[in-house]
Each structure stands twice: as structure tokens, then as C-alpha cells.
Amino acid sequence: MGNLGPWGAQVGHLFNKSTAFYILQSAQYPANTRRPYFIPGQIFSATFQEWIRCYDTNPIVDWRHFIANPVRVTPTGPSTVHHIVAAHRSLCIQASNLLDCAKEQDACIPGLRGADIRPYSLLPLYQALVVIFDSRWVPPKHQFFEPDGLVSLHKFAQNQTVLIARTGVEASLSAPITFAGLEVQSLPEGKGLADEPDSDVIRVSLATAVRFIFDLEQRGNLAHPKIHDATQHDPYLDPRPPEGFADNHQIRHDPETWANANLEAAQKHGLENVQEVWESVHRVHASLIGEEPGKLEHLPYEQR
């Protein structure tokens, strides 16, 4: 949280997102838990699953499009809805100015791979709405588990509460944001971090918040349809080149060249050192002997 500075390294994470997730200290793991991350992984996993559900398992992922970028609020960061909204508006102004300047000067922005920044923008919805995590839901012992013994991410999303707050920056939206349709789904334990109820803030489940934001984004897309430019290529969707082929750009665009490069790398460095070839060999071998390829294993809930 704070000033982005000249060409801030994190500014690229703000573009092509529908909103920002501000995760307060009260929603993070305590510093003395010795966990590698302060933010619970269930928040990201559950959000992603709900987002996928909205898109009927076929989401738009090019140009780093996603529902939100997470912002971990530090102990000295904003701790009220009013201060978070003020900080968000300030960050949006800085990010918008940086992007406009970069496009005018045909310059690159740190955090964005590739030289083409034309597909990136600070979405109007991102500037108009924030989601605040002010608590961390811990499932009761032996409850909300699926038959495989793991906690249901959908049930986590239904029980994890968040605050949705309007920022007041709605001039570029197709229509004003209203919480009228959410009132029936709002949760009773307060309306936000402020001392008094606020008409610009509502508490709902994470699942409800994701659906609400998705619907707002679709409303905006219908009002202002985006024109797809087939000449633009998203480098984030390129396959990873094997060791020793990072400078061969043809590998990223031609499947045959990519496959041959991986085989060449495997011959040079060993099958076990080239993950794509190692996994392919194991799948083929399992098929030849009539076995099912190894299945991915779930991480235990407490390790996420």
C-alpha cells in the first residue's frame, strides 16, 4: 500500500482486473504461524473456482484478465473502509497516468511481459468498486468436508464474508452501481468497518461478491462491446521454452518446434530434468502397459 513511484513494479497487476481484494491483517495468518504466506490460499482457490463457475468453466484469461488483484494490507496500512477507498482511488489515478504516459511514449511497463501494452487498461469497474476481507473464516472441525476428506471450496466461498464498497468513481460505467439486488443476500453482522452503517458498503459472502462483480462486468461489456484484434498476441499464454531455448521466439508460436526443442533439451539434460518430456513419457508408458496415468493429488486443506 502506498505510492507507486515512477514506473512502480507492481502497477501491471492492476490492469484488466474487475476489482481489487484488500486483505486486512485480521484476515491474514498471524506472523508467528511460520507459514510461507500471510494470505490464506483458500481465498484464492475459492475465488478462482467461483469465477470459473460464473464463466461456465470457460473464462477469459488472455491479457491477465481476472476478477481481482490481491492487495495485502500491512500493519501500518489503512484499516477502515474510508481509508481503503481513499488509497484505492489514489492508486488508480497513479496507475492510469502511468499507463497513458507509456502508451503515448510507446514505452514498456514493469510487470507486463512483452512490448505491446495496447490491450491493457484500468477498467472502469476496477476504479468504482473494492472488496475488503476483514476476517478469516475457519471451517468447524469435521464439517464442510467433501467425500474425499477435503474442505469444499464452494462452501468456503459461501461462508467467507467480505465487504463490497463503492468508491464513488462511476462516471465511466455504463450505469451506476446499486446494492439493491444484494440486500436480500446481505449478512447481518454489521455493514462494514465504520462505526455506523454505510449505504456504500455491504457485507456478503465471497460467492455472492464474485457473482455480483461478474454480472457488473458483463453489463459493461454489453454496453461497450470489445473489438477483438486477431493481430495481438498475449505472451503470457505462450508455452514455457526449455532450458537453452529462451531466445528462440519461434518455439512460442509453433507446436512442432516447441516439441522438438523439449526433446532436444531432454537428450542434453536428461528426461527427469525436462518436466514436459518426463510427464509425457510417463503418460505414454502407463498407457502402453494398460495403467491409468498418475493423477494429481490434492494438497491437505491446512497446507493451502
Side-chain angles (χ1 to χ4, degrees):
M1 295 298 301
N3 193 289
L4 289 174
W7 307 107
Q10 302 300 318
V11 68
H13 297 298
L14 279 64
F15 302 131
N16 293 353
K17 306 297 189 298
S18 301
T19 188
F21 282 178
Y22 286 88
I23 305 172
L24 300 185
Q25 288 285 296
S26 52
Q28 301 174 26
Y29 288 129
N32 59 3
T33 58
R34 297 182 179 179
R35 294 177 180 268
Y37 304 103
F38 288 101
I39 301 176
Q42 302 93 330
I43 290 178
F44 302 119
S45 300
T47 298
F48 183 75
Q49 186 180 81
E50 294 302 311
W51 187 64
I52 291 288
R53 190 188 305 273
C54 291
Y55 274 101
D56 193 22
T57 71
N58 189 29
I60 300 172
V61 296
D62 56 344
W63 305 111
R64 304 185 71 171
H65 174 256
F66 189 50
I67 185 173
N69 71 292
V71 180
R72 175 181 171 258
V73 180
T74 63
T76 58
S79 58
T80 67
V81 172
H82 174 75
H83 290 150
I84 290 172
V85 167
H88 184 76
R89 293 180 61 161
S90 175
L91 287 174
C92 287
I93 292 173
Q94 295 179 65
S96 181
N97 290 338
L98 286 173
L99 184 61
D100 291 343
C101 183
K103 288 183 176 180
E104 290 176 2
Q105 300 177 8
D106 196 23
C108 297
I109 290 182
L112 296 182
R113 184 183 302 169
D116 191 358
I117 61 173
R118 291 174 299 166
Y120 294 99
S121 65
L122 195 67
L123 301 181
L125 184 57
Y126 186 91
Q127 302 174 64
L129 207 67
V130 296
V131 175
I132 303 170
F133 290 75
D134 63 344
S135 64
R136 178 169 61 92
W137 181 71
V138 179
K141 194 172 183 180
H142 304 306
Q143 294 185 33
F144 301 100
F145 282 84
E146 297 286 20
D148 60 3
L150 300 175
V151 171
S152 165
L153 290 174
H154 182 53
K155 291 178 180 177
F156 178 91
Q158 291 175 317
N159 285 272
Q160 172 67 53
T161 69
V162 299
L163 300 167
I164 304 178
R166 291 185 294 221
T167 67
V169 183
E170 300 187 356
S172 298
L173 294 177
S174 59
I177 295 175
T178 173
F179 292 152
L182 286 183
E183 291 176 350
V184 68
Q185 301 180 67
S186 64
L187 303 175
E189 61 269 23
K191 289 290 184 180
L193 300 177
D195 293 330
E196 297 180 0
D198 188 337
S199 60
D200 287 330
V201 182
I202 190 169
R203 183 181 294 278
V204 295
S205 70
L206 174 59
T208 297
V210 171
R211 169 58 69 175
F212 178 67
I213 295 165
F214 171 81
D215 289 342
L216 288 176
E217 182 181 18
Q218 296 306 302
R219 184 187 71 176
N221 291 340
L222 289 174
H224 305 289
K226 297 179 181 179
I227 300 176
H228 177 70
D229 186 350
T231 65
Q232 293 180 334
H233 172 73
D234 182 5
Y236 280 96
L237 300 182
D238 289 341
R240 182 181 61 182
E243 183 180 351
F245 292 86
D247 297 330
N248 187 338
H249 299 292
Q250 185 180 0
I251 290 176
R252 299 179 181 274
H253 308 292
D254 181 62
E256 190 73 22
T257 304
W258 178 82
N260 290 333
N262 276 279
L263 290 174
E264 185 177 334
Q267 291 175 349
K268 182 177 181 180
H269 304 290
L271 290 176
E272 68 280 2
N273 295 318
V274 182
Q275 181 180 357
E276 287 78 4
V277 177
W278 177 257
E279 293 177 349
S280 296
V281 168
H282 274 263
R283 285 196 297 269
V284 171
H285 180 260
S287 178
L288 290 175
I289 62 177
E291 295 182 357
E292 289 188 10
K295 296 181 179 179
L296 296 176
E297 296 184 359
H298 291 292
L299 279 176
Y301 184 79
E302 62 273 8
Q303 294 182 19
R304 298 180 191 174

